[in-house]
Amino acid sequence: MLESKRFSIPLLMIFAPLLLVAPILALIGYLIYETIVIRGINLFSSENLPAAILLTIILILVLSISLPALIDNYESYIITDKGIIVKKLFGTDIIYFSDIKRVSLVTYDEKYKYGDVLIERKDNVIHILFVSKAKDFLEALKSTIPNLLT
Amino acid sequence: MTIKKIYKKQKSKLAKFLAFILIIIPLAVLFLISKTPWANLFILAITGLVLLLIPIAGIPLFFFERYVITNEGIFIEYPYSIYKHFISQKIRFSDIEKIYLLEKWNCFGKRYRLVMVKKRGPWTYEVKEGNIIFLNPENPEAFVDDVKQYMLY
């Protein structure tokens, strides 16, 4: 399979879940700092162990909300001669060119150059790819499939 | 208004497990706090926050979101039924431009299907004035067929 071009979703989309929980993580960090450095309390002594466990549990709670979103959001696209390979964090899939009926750019941000590419398949199922350089992606698709409907 | 069909929201095993964990963890935290001799105001504030999480996390675990197809349109009924008047959302058939079957991927690259409703107007995802609505019914193919069928009448 001949690889021609690689695209990804905007970086902001990948790190947005972490940005949302950053204030909570900072608060927990400050709490640990105040406990250990300012007050001089040893969190890992036997009498303070429940507090250490409590902090760990809160940290797990915060990360359990942000991490699945972070893992799920990651997506990159590789245009090959057979189709578009969709790479997720732990797996890949392919949209074959032979299945594609129509491709269109539905949203586009002039400033940041990202947008949504709508791919309509012949079986009336659609895919929406959020691409960082949306117009380049569309041009690359058009150059790979000459008779593509847009 | 007559109800034609009701679809439940699709719930993944992972979502159910996470909701369960969100209930178990605050309970464990409460147990631990009861054992600490030095519980101060800050710890109590955190406990309050955790206590708030229990009902919020618990509601979607026991009550499912529902999609009700009527002769007027699609009603999305959220499980927070106390505020149903504010939270239930109505999509009139006359507002729908097109209904799609959308395919996405999970983190392992496995495909799953959603229903995407495009209302008339520009393509926007904004919370209040957005024209794109994603629905996750149990049988998305049948849901799309049903809506298309009722839209004709």
Side-chain angles (χ1 to χ4, degrees):
Chain A
M1 211 181 288
L2 196 70
E3 185 181 313
S4 64
K5 266 191 171 175
R6 183 185 281 262
F7 295 88
S8 71
I9 67 162
L11 276 178
L12 183 73
M13 188 74 181
I14 300 171
F15 292 107
L18 268 190
L19 288 173
L20 284 172
V21 291
I24 305 164
L25 287 175
L27 189 74
I28 293 168
Y30 178 73
L31 181 72
I32 294 169
Y33 169 76
E34 198 193 85
T35 319
I36 296 172
V37 180
I38 297 175
R39 294 190 184 177
I41 298 166
N42 182 11
L43 263 182
F44 300 99
S45 69
S46 59
E47 61 177 4
N48 290 332
L49 203 63
I53 297 169
L54 171 80
L55 279 175
T56 316
I57 286 169
I58 293 166
L59 209 67
I60 291 169
L61 262 177
V62 171
L63 291 178
S64 70
I65 296 162
S66 65
L67 276 183
L70 187 77
I71 291 166
D72 252 16
N73 277 358
Y74 176 77
E75 210 166 281
S76 69
Y77 316 106
I78 304 161
I79 299 173
T80 63
D81 55 345
K82 283 194 177 171
I84 307 161
I85 294 176
V86 181
K87 284 192 91 172
K88 297 292 286 187
L89 205 58
F90 305 115
T92 55
D93 195 24
I94 186 164
I95 309 168
Y96 289 103
F97 288 144
S98 54
D99 294 341
I100 297 174
K101 186 168 77 178
R102 189 191 298 266
V103 174
S104 52
L105 190 65
V106 284
T107 60
Y108 185 67
D109 190 298
E110 288 290 341
K111 194 178 172 187
Y112 298 106
K113 314 270 183 221
Y114 58 67
D116 284 297
V117 177
L118 177 80
I119 297 174
E120 284 179 63
R121 279 192 350 217
K122 282 170 186 164
D123 56 354
N124 290 327
V125 176
I126 61 158
H127 297 286
I128 296 173
L129 310 183
F130 190 43
V131 196
S132 61
K133 288 172 185 167
K135 279 193 175 168
D136 291 353
F137 180 79
L138 210 65
E139 285 306 313
L141 268 182
K142 275 181 194 169
S143 62
T144 322
I145 334 169
N147 53 356
L148 185 73
L149 281 170
T150 51
Chain B
M1 187 184 73
T2 49
I3 293 170
K4 301 283 183 188
K5 223 162 189 183
I6 298 171
Y7 283 86
K8 268 187 184 176
K9 189 188 176 177
Q10 203 168 268
K11 282 270 174 186
S12 68
K13 279 179 185 170
L14 181 73
K16 279 179 192 170
F17 176 73
L18 279 176
F20 185 69
I21 287 292
L22 276 172
I23 288 175
I24 289 296
I25 287 178
L27 288 175
V29 170
L30 285 176
F31 176 75
L32 279 170
I33 281 177
S34 67
K35 298 280 176 192
T36 50
W38 47 266
N40 58 23
L41 196 67
F42 193 84
I43 298 293
L44 286 175
I46 293 175
T47 319
L49 193 78
V50 171
L51 267 171
L52 271 176
L53 275 174
I54 299 172
I56 295 168
I59 289 170
L61 183 70
F62 299 110
F63 304 99
F64 295 97
E65 199 174 303
R66 297 193 317 168
Y67 308 108
V68 184
I69 303 173
T70 65
N71 57 346
E72 286 179 18
I74 308 163
F75 278 85
I76 307 164
E77 284 182 357
Y78 294 94
Y80 303 90
S81 56
I82 305 161
Y83 305 109
K84 208 172 181 178
H85 177 69
F86 297 100
I87 291 177
S88 68
Q89 198 182 348
K90 187 179 175 184
I91 313 166
R92 285 182 183 280
F93 286 141
S94 55
D95 292 343
I96 298 174
E97 190 183 304
K98 209 166 181 184
I99 183 159
Y100 298 98
L101 202 58
L102 172 74
E103 226 169 46
K104 291 180 92 174
W105 299 269
N106 65 7
C107 62
F108 301 105
K110 201 181 167 191
R111 292 182 184 197
Y112 65 93
R113 286 183 170 185
L114 294 174
V115 173
M116 195 184 91
V117 178
K118 164 81 175 68
K119 286 160 100 179
R120 287 177 208 284
W123 194 287
T124 50
Y125 294 105
E126 283 166 34
V127 178
K128 269 190 176 176
E129 291 161 0
N131 288 325
I132 306 292
I133 296 156
F134 295 102
L135 308 176
N136 189 12
E138 270 178 346
N139 191 351
E141 296 86 0
F143 183 87
V144 170
D145 288 344
D146 280 344
V147 172
K148 277 181 181 172
Q149 191 190 334
Y150 293 124
M151 272 169 75
L152 292 173
Y153 293 109

